[in-house]
Amino acid sequence: MERSCSGACEAHKELKRTLKTCSGYFLLSIYLLPLDIASITTKLLSPLYITASMLIEERGAEAETCREDTIHNTLVIPAPILHDVYHMLRTRGGEENEWIVALGCQEITGKKVVVHAYDLNCSLSTPTSAETDYGSLDSVLEFYELCGVKIVGLAHIHPWNAKDVHPSRIDIETHHRWEEYYDGEFIGIVFTSGVFRIFHGGKCRIRTEILGNGVRKRGENLYELELV
């Protein structure tokens, strides 16, 4: 009789634990449902966003070029670094999502040279946007400081095929804040399928120079990776 009661108590306890677990999963599913719906909606509507972005050219002179009288330094970007950045962006973002990579530079024989590309983690990565994880950003800044390297730019990808590419309004506004913080010596690069544009946010004080083979210039601040 005692064994029967003990078994019944254990079964009752197990049932309560199971019910609690099921309730937890149910509440979690309710919490995650809006996120899932938002993710699905973003993917469904991404063709509209892509079409709009390709139709609206964000050309503003301040966002595209540096005024000669404001330039203080030249930043040299080796072609292999650009290829590495592109492959990082495509690998981490996949075929559909945006991603972000940081660039670090060092002064070599009196010139600022991009020497490293740091693959950041993104807290958000969708077909239409990406946001850097702040912990990852802190890590790269600490890493560069320890190595005697300075962060000098951010590169990201718009995951669709295009012969031309322009930064979005949000890209330019975000970059503008980075330029203010780094006294104008900060570049932005936006890629599509092997095509990329170097852009600025209005407070540019640095000129870019690409060194090496495998990159073809297609227009002002517009380039194409060869050998992709």
Side-chain angles (χ1 to χ4, degrees):
M1 184 68 176
E2 291 180 0
R3 289 184 181 178
S4 176
C5 289
S6 175
C9 287
E10 286 299 322
H12 181 67
K13 289 179 181 179
E14 183 62 30
L15 178 61
K16 286 180 69 176
R17 284 195 293 267
T18 302
L19 288 173
K20 285 182 179 180
T21 302
C22 291
S23 297
Y25 278 117
F26 176 70
L27 293 174
L28 183 62
S29 67
I30 293 174
Y31 171 78
L32 293 175
L33 182 60
L35 299 178
D36 291 336
I37 293 173
S39 176
I40 293 170
T41 303
T42 298
K43 289 193 174 184
L44 290 174
L45 295 179
S46 62
L48 295 178
Y49 176 87
I50 291 168
T51 302
S53 297
M54 293 174 68
L55 290 174
I56 301 171
E57 294 185 343
E58 303 275 358
R59 286 192 180 274
E62 287 188 343
E64 295 287 344
T65 60
C66 283
R67 284 172 43 200
E68 289 297 322
D69 59 350
T70 64
I71 293 174
H72 286 197
N73 285 302
T74 296
L75 178 68
V76 178
I77 311 176
I81 292 283
L82 291 164
H83 282 269
D84 288 345
V85 167
Y86 174 68
H87 287 296
M88 281 184 192
L89 293 171
R90 289 305 295 264
T91 300
R92 295 284 272 140
E95 297 294 324
E96 296 182 349
N97 296 327
E98 293 194 11
W99 201 262
I100 304 170
V101 168
L103 303 174
C105 82
Q106 196 167 19
E107 192 161 312
I108 301 174
T109 63
K111 284 192 174 182
K112 293 181 181 293
V113 181
V114 176
V115 295
H116 187 262
Y118 194 104
D119 185 11
L120 295 167
N121 288 325
C122 290
S123 57
L124 174 69
S125 176
T126 73
T128 58
S129 62
E131 291 182 8
T132 305
D133 176 78
Y134 288 106
S136 179
L137 192 55
D138 287 341
S139 296
V140 66
L141 294 175
E142 182 179 357
F143 171 71
Y144 280 164
E145 185 177 354
L146 290 172
C147 295
V149 176
K150 178 183 176 181
I151 188 170
V152 76
L154 292 175
H156 72 285
I157 189 166
H158 290 169
W160 57 80
N161 296 329
K163 295 181 179 179
D164 200 355
V165 58
H166 291 277
S168 69
R169 177 183 55 80
I170 294 175
D171 293 337
I172 294 171
E173 289 175 354
T174 302
H175 186 78
H176 181 83
R177 292 193 290 271
W178 280 98
E179 282 184 342
E180 285 188 326
Y181 189 79
Y182 284 99
D183 197 25
E185 295 195 348
F186 201 88
I187 66 165
I189 304 178
V190 55
F191 279 86
T192 58
S193 54
V195 178
F196 68 93
R197 183 179 292 277
I198 299 172
F199 68 94
H200 309 282
K203 291 189 175 292
C204 168
R205 298 177 63 191
I206 195 165
R207 179 194 293 110
T208 53
E209 176 185 318
I210 296 174
L211 181 66
N213 299 323
V215 177
R216 180 169 65 90
K217 188 168 185 176
R218 292 181 46 175
E220 187 173 9
N221 296 322
L222 180 67
Y223 302 85
E224 181 178 10
L225 295 178
E226 299 173 326
L227 313 174
V228 173

